[in-house]
Amino acid sequence: MKNTIGLIFLFAVINVSYSTTLRELEFMKILYASEDVPKQILSSMITRRIDQIKTLYERKSILKDGKTFYTSTEHSLGLLLESVNSNDTQIGDLFESYSHIVNLLNEVNNLMQIHPVDHLTVDTSDSFSRDNLQAMMDGYIDDIEMVRMCEVSMGRADRVDMKIVERIKSLYNEVRNYTFYRDDSFVSESMSISRKTMDQCLWQFKFLLNKFTSTFIHY
């Protein structure tokens, strides 16, 4: 009974916003602007999200209400995946449903202090913390790999420029391994320089991502 009351309260305080833009959806719409997004892409996105939920569910810090929500969300995504595979629904409706489910997931995660980064894109800001920059880059790299696997299965492997992809991955590793040096006498200056370094990495990432996108679109 207590768990039920807690779950009702949890949903009561959620301020639902279905207009939140998800990076993965925005990126796919850009890549496939002149054609339908392959259903295989959406299927892969749903499967990836289910795996994410399973990982969150196993966290020791997640209380019963949270686990109940994750189970319900996994069931929703499972139903959506069945619909994708049955080809009985328009792709636009499927993407809208996916966005609805994930926005709810992100809002609940935020309530549980698991801050989502699905809304972060290269156009969100001109400056990111290293953690957010790394998380955003990681998300795009996962998206690109998902697209590559789809294009390979469709016999269009050359559409994904692997030279650019490798440069993006190399830049990601640079950001991940970057050391923030600090000198007690010049803390402010050091942190400022470190932030500018991240800004330079963001510019490089934008440049490479735009190059990848342009090559993909004009294949």
Side-chain angles (χ1 to χ4, degrees):
M1 182 64 180
K2 289 183 179 179
N3 289 338
T4 302
I5 294 174
L7 190 60
I8 292 173
F9 175 76
L10 181 65
F11 282 105
V13 297
I14 293 176
N15 179 21
V16 180
S17 175
Y18 299 127
S19 61
T20 303
T21 301
L22 299 175
R23 179 211 69 253
E24 54 192 351
L25 295 184
E26 182 177 279
F27 189 43
M28 295 309 152
K29 289 177 181 178
I30 291 173
L31 292 180
Y32 295 97
S34 60
E35 58 189 292
D36 290 335
V37 178
K39 285 193 175 183
Q40 183 179 336
I41 292 288
L42 180 57
S43 178
S44 297
M45 287 168 56
I46 296 171
T47 301
R48 180 175 66 180
R49 190 67 63 172
I50 290 174
D51 290 339
Q52 179 196 63
I53 291 171
K54 288 179 178 178
T55 299
L56 289 171
Y57 184 94
E58 294 302 322
R59 287 191 179 188
K60 293 182 179 179
S61 59
I62 302 300
L63 301 178
K64 289 184 178 180
D65 286 344
K67 289 183 180 292
T68 300
F69 173 78
Y70 286 146
T71 298
S72 179
T73 302
E74 184 179 345
H75 291 166
S76 295
L77 290 170
L79 287 173
L80 188 59
L81 188 59
E82 289 178 14
S83 187
V84 173
N85 294 333
S86 66
N87 296 316
D88 61 356
T89 312
Q90 294 294 320
I91 187 68
D93 294 334
L94 293 172
F95 271 99
E96 183 177 348
S97 295
Y98 176 77
S99 180
H100 177 117
I101 294 168
V102 175
N103 281 328
L104 281 174
L105 171 65
N106 282 340
E107 292 188 10
V108 171
N109 281 344
N110 202 40
L111 286 172
M112 294 192 294
Q113 298 185 343
I114 302 172
H115 303 296
V117 293
D118 289 320
H119 63 286
L120 296 179
T121 73
V122 290
D123 298 318
T124 301
S125 174
D126 292 327
S127 186
F128 291 93
S129 66
R130 181 178 47 180
D131 287 344
N132 281 346
L133 178 59
Q134 187 175 331
M136 181 187 66
M137 293 174 69
D138 193 28
Y140 274 111
I141 289 172
D142 280 350
D143 292 342
I144 289 172
E145 182 61 23
M146 183 172 61
V147 168
R148 184 192 67 79
M149 293 177 65
C150 176
E151 293 296 323
V152 167
S153 70
M154 297 169 66
R156 304 186 303 201
D158 292 342
R159 193 174 191 182
V160 176
D161 191 327
M162 290 306 299
K163 290 183 179 179
I164 301 176
V165 174
E166 291 305 318
R167 292 188 68 178
I168 289 175
K169 290 181 178 179
S170 177
L171 177 62
Y172 171 79
N173 288 330
E174 288 180 24
V175 172
R176 183 182 60 185
N177 297 325
Y178 176 67
T179 300
F180 284 80
Y181 292 103
R182 297 188 61 170
D183 185 320
D184 289 342
S185 300
F186 303 99
V187 171
S188 296
E189 180 183 355
S190 175
M191 293 303 290
S192 177
I193 292 173
S194 296
R195 172 55 61 85
K196 297 304 180 185
T197 301
M198 292 298 98
D199 293 347
Q200 290 286 19
C201 291
L202 173 61
W203 184 90
Q204 294 174 48
F205 182 65
K206 281 184 178 181
F207 182 88
L208 292 171
L209 191 64
N210 286 338
K211 192 172 182 181
F212 169 85
T213 302
S214 178
T215 301
F216 186 92
I217 291 174
H218 294 101
Y219 169 77

